Amino acid sequence: MLHSEKIDFTKQFAHHGIGENAVQIIEKEELLPASLINKLHHCFPQYSILKEESAPMFTTSKNRYTGIDGFREIISVLNANGIDIGYIEERELFINVYRFMATKHILNTINWKDYVNDSVFQLVFPQPGMMKAELLERYRNAKSEEEKQQICEDYIHDTNPHDGKQLLNKACFENEHGDFEILDGSQHKYPQCFLVFDKSTQSCFAFCNYCFRHAQVRGDEDMFIQKDIDQVHSYLREHKEVTDILLTGGDGGLMPYSRLKEYLLPFTTDPELSHIRNIRMASRGLTFDPQMIIKPSFDNTLALYKELIDHGIQVIWMGHFSGPKELMNLTTIAAVRRLRTTGITVKSQSPIMKHISLFPDENGGIDIDKSAQNWIDLGHVLMMLGVGFHSMYYARPTGEHHYFTAPLADINKVFSQIYRSLPSVGRPSRYISMTSSAGKASMLGTVEVNGKTAFALKFNEARNMEWMDRVYLAEFDDKQNTIEKLKPFEGDKYFYTDELEAIEKQLERK
């Protein structure tokens, strides 16, 4: 009975706002087998809106709600439906500093009957307590809109938009004329992977409250923005160690087909670029606007990806799922299956963030079991949809880090429970990590050394890749939330400290 239970797809398509053209693609390509939908709903009903009966609240043709005006439009719709989320001034302070965007799709996945405990609501809507009390007080006491704006502009400089000294990662090279060129929209920190922040990917489908790239989406003067595609190809011809291109932003999924083609087709035709074997698309599109993938307008992009795959260049769609709920709707499932049918590898990498995927207990600490179960359930949903669980990482020390983070010791307990609870093929592909200027350091766990507890750490990416061969120890600290700030277990510095300082000075001189 489980697999044969009938589903009224017509009603469900209407609820999810799936247009007629998308419905035709879903039916033609058999993207939503009833047996799969029934099993997902049966296994994880607490996250599912696969058989939602209530009418959607956001039904107009408007797809994106942006900035203060968009936020206020949403509030008007909610108020008209008897919902008052409160804390408006505090939420608008956050928006004035970091920006705001939400899609119709993501708004209709929120359980508005219990929005406070809805992880998607926490992901997209600014929350009370995010902005520091002293800043909020000054904002509230401002005597004019101009004064409020100035407070926000001044605070923007304190939000640490380029944590981990990212500005040192800009790619540069000497061109054929002997001139020195800097790629203002590209990063090359680790040998194999080259990051492109294209001019067309500087926004997002919707904004995550914890965004680590807020310099990009709000348009800071020192943002990374790549305008010249030929410059990227010229650099790559000189760097044969690069195998992977990561298209990011903002959101890499926003790049239009015509520009995507300019970037990617030369990898199939130019012998000097044959060392490029993987294209990674860093995108939240599957969470925020999956319908774009099941529209006829996306067919050209899929055909391009198929051509790359047929040339031995793998396309990996790097989604960012924080919990099962982001996947448990018809549109996202159809989009994931359409990508996979084309031959695209879909993976998930996500930060573990307090209030969104790391849950407080009644005493203000971390509910280890509840937090772990969210990720265990996510791991199983990912496996059922054929999505790889790539990685989890700690909140980077940027933006309102205090709101989203928790002690490393607690998060290590959560991760350990996740890792031992999932089957080996469904576990994250590496231990939970945190990025710094030195690289991505993984927390392997704790170890007892001469009667003292230590954190065991190991790089999974590093400015010097040979650092990855060595496990190193840090003092156990049950309060610290940033790996970079942990103290060495022995001595006054880590084994890589002196070399890192020398590398950074060399990069600064460039």
Side-chain angles (χ1 to χ4, degrees):
M1 287 297 294
L2 168 63
H3 301 299
S4 61
E5 182 182 337
K6 291 185 178 179
I7 303 172
D8 186 347
F9 278 115
T10 302
K11 181 186 290 186
Q12 294 303 314
F13 290 154
H15 175 85
H16 293 285
I18 300 176
E20 184 178 344
N21 288 337
V23 170
Q24 291 174 357
I25 288 174
I26 289 170
E27 293 175 344
K28 179 182 178 182
E29 300 180 15
E30 300 179 341
L31 299 177
L32 293 174
S35 55
L36 171 63
I37 303 307
N38 280 323
K39 184 167 184 176
L40 282 165
H41 183 75
H42 174 79
C43 291
F44 302 102
Q46 68 272 38
Y47 308 110
S48 177
I49 59 170
L50 296 171
K51 300 183 181 183
E52 183 63 47
E53 295 294 330
S54 60
M57 198 175 296
F58 296 87
T59 58
T60 67
S61 59
K62 187 180 183 70
N63 188 41
R64 286 186 178 82
Y65 297 81
T66 306
I68 288 290
D69 290 341
F71 175 73
R72 290 173 178 170
E73 281 186 70
I74 293 170
I75 297 304
S76 294
V77 173
L78 295 176
N79 290 345
N81 285 270
I83 300 170
D84 179 8
I85 66 172
Y87 305 98
I88 299 302
E89 189 172 35
E90 189 169 353
R91 298 183 201 272
E92 290 192 354
L93 167 59
F94 180 94
I95 292 168
N96 282 327
V97 172
Y98 291 105
R99 305 298 182 260
F100 173 83
M101 185 186 293
T103 57
K104 180 169 64 175
H105 169 84
I106 205 66
L107 292 171
N108 282 332
T109 67
I110 294 171
N111 177 10
W112 290 107
K113 296 175 184 176
D114 187 25
Y115 60 86
V116 173
N117 295 309
D118 190 292
S119 59
V120 173
F121 178 75
Q122 293 282 341
L123 172 67
V124 175
F125 280 78
Q127 302 297 322
M130 282 185 175
M131 306 305 285
K132 297 179 179 67
E134 181 273 333
L135 177 70
L136 177 60
E137 188 66 19
R138 285 197 289 122
Y139 186 81
R140 282 174 171 162
N141 293 333
K143 295 179 173 59
S144 66
E145 288 300 318
E146 289 75 16
E147 187 177 346
K148 284 185 174 182
Q149 183 178 352
Q150 190 60 53
I151 289 170
C152 294
E153 290 178 0
D154 292 343
Y155 182 67
I156 281 173
H157 299 292
D158 297 327
T159 59
N160 190 29
H162 297 298
D163 66 294
K165 300 184 180 179
Q166 291 180 60
L167 294 174
L168 295 180
N169 303 337
K170 283 188 177 181
C172 55
F173 72 111
E174 185 177 306
N175 65 26
E176 59 185 2
H177 305 295
D179 298 324
F180 189 73
E181 290 190 35
I182 297 175
L183 283 73
D184 288 325
S186 299
Q187 291 187 23
H188 189 194
K189 182 177 180 179
Y190 310 123
Q192 301 94 338
C193 190
F194 183 83
L195 279 64
V196 178
F197 300 75
D198 189 65
K199 67 178 184 178
S200 65
T201 65
Q202 298 304 311
S203 187
C204 293
F205 294 101
F207 294 150
C208 306
N209 286 327
Y210 58 73
C211 180
F212 306 140
R213 302 285 192 196
H214 47 267
Q216 303 299 125
V217 299
R218 73 185 175 199
D220 287 8
E221 289 183 1
D222 57 356
M223 65 192 288
F224 292 87
I225 181 165
Q226 187 64 39
K227 299 176 181 177
D228 188 340
I229 297 176
D230 289 339
Q231 188 184 46
V232 170
H233 292 149
S234 295
Y235 179 88
L236 292 174
R237 290 186 186 99
E238 300 298 320
H239 288 269
K240 305 295 187 184
E241 75 276 16
V242 177
T243 58
D244 291 36
I245 307 299
L246 174 59
L247 301 177
T248 184
D251 196 298
L254 284 171
M255 190 180 294
Y257 166 75
S258 58
R259 193 157 177 86
L260 196 61
K261 186 177 179 180
E262 281 189 71
Y263 270 110
L264 302 185
L265 267 190
F267 300 140
T268 69
T269 58
D270 188 340
E272 291 300 311
L273 294 172
S274 62
H275 53 291
I276 305 302
R277 302 183 186 109
N278 300 295
I279 305 298
R280 305 186 204 172
M281 182 68 67
S283 177
R284 267 282 204 174
L286 288 168
T287 292
F288 291 136
D289 196 14
Q291 189 162 326
M292 73 160 188
I293 293 170
I294 48 175
K295 288 181 176 178
S297 56
F298 201 70
D299 289 354
N300 285 339
T301 300
L302 288 177
L304 174 61
Y305 290 155
K306 180 68 165 56
E307 184 170 356
L308 290 166
I309 293 167
D310 288 345
H311 277 80
I313 300 169
Q314 297 309 302
V315 178
I316 304 102
W317 189 285
M318 302 300 298
H320 300 255
F321 297 109
S322 303
K325 185 171 185 186
E326 295 173 34
L327 283 150
M328 295 289 285
N329 65 85
L330 295 180
T331 325
T332 296
I333 292 170
V336 167
R337 285 173 56 83
R338 193 169 200 225
L339 291 175
R340 292 190 64 234
T341 299
T342 305
I344 296 164
T345 300
V346 183
K347 290 181 177 286
S348 177
Q349 57 179 19
S350 290
I352 183 165
M353 311 299 282
K354 194 173 181 180
H355 306 287
I356 296 169
S357 57
L358 184 70
F359 304 108
D361 62 22
E362 57 188 14
N363 300 315
I366 297 300
D367 188 326
I368 304 297
D369 292 340
K370 181 180 178 182
S371 300
Q373 195 62 51
N374 171 78
W375 291 92
I376 294 165
D377 290 345
L378 173 63
H380 284 289
V381 173
L382 292 173
M383 281 187 283
M384 290 173 73
L385 294 175
V387 177
F389 197 162
H390 181 259
S391 62
M392 298 167 62
Y393 49 99
Y394 295 101
R396 290 168 64 162
T398 179
E400 302 310 311
H401 185 243
H402 67 96
Y403 182 84
F404 296 108
T405 193
L408 298 168
D410 287 343
I411 302 178
N412 177 58
K413 292 177 184 176
V414 173
F415 184 81
S416 295
Q417 190 165 321
I418 297 164
Y419 203 76
R420 67 172 176 263
S421 299
L422 288 170
S424 60
V425 294
R427 293 171 184 157
S429 61
R430 60 192 185 199
Y431 286 89
I432 191 167
S433 63
M434 179 176 257
T435 297
S436 68
S437 179
K440 290 182 172 66
S442 282
M443 175 77 71
L444 302 182
T446 58
V447 62
E448 296 296 318
V449 181
N450 297 327
K452 292 180 64 178
T453 303
F455 285 125
L457 305 169
K458 188 176 184 181
F459 287 107
N460 57 60
E461 300 282 359
R463 286 205 185 271
N464 179 346
M465 299 299 271
E466 291 183 4
W467 298 349
M468 292 169 57
D469 298 335
R470 184 168 173 180
V471 175
Y472 62 103
L473 302 180
E475 287 185 9
F476 180 82
D477 187 327
D478 62 2
K479 299 289 191 296
Q480 183 55 256
N481 58 25
T482 305
I483 287 180
E484 194 175 20
K485 293 181 180 179
L486 291 173
K487 297 178 181 178
F489 186 72
E490 293 180 340
D492 59 355
K493 56 187 175 183
Y494 293 113
F495 75 92
Y496 61 83
T497 301
D498 291 340
E499 187 177 355
L500 174 63
E501 290 177 356
I503 291 171
E504 289 175 344
K505 286 180 181 178
Q506 183 180 10
L507 291 171
E508 287 168 358
R509 285 195 293 269
K510 287 185 177 181

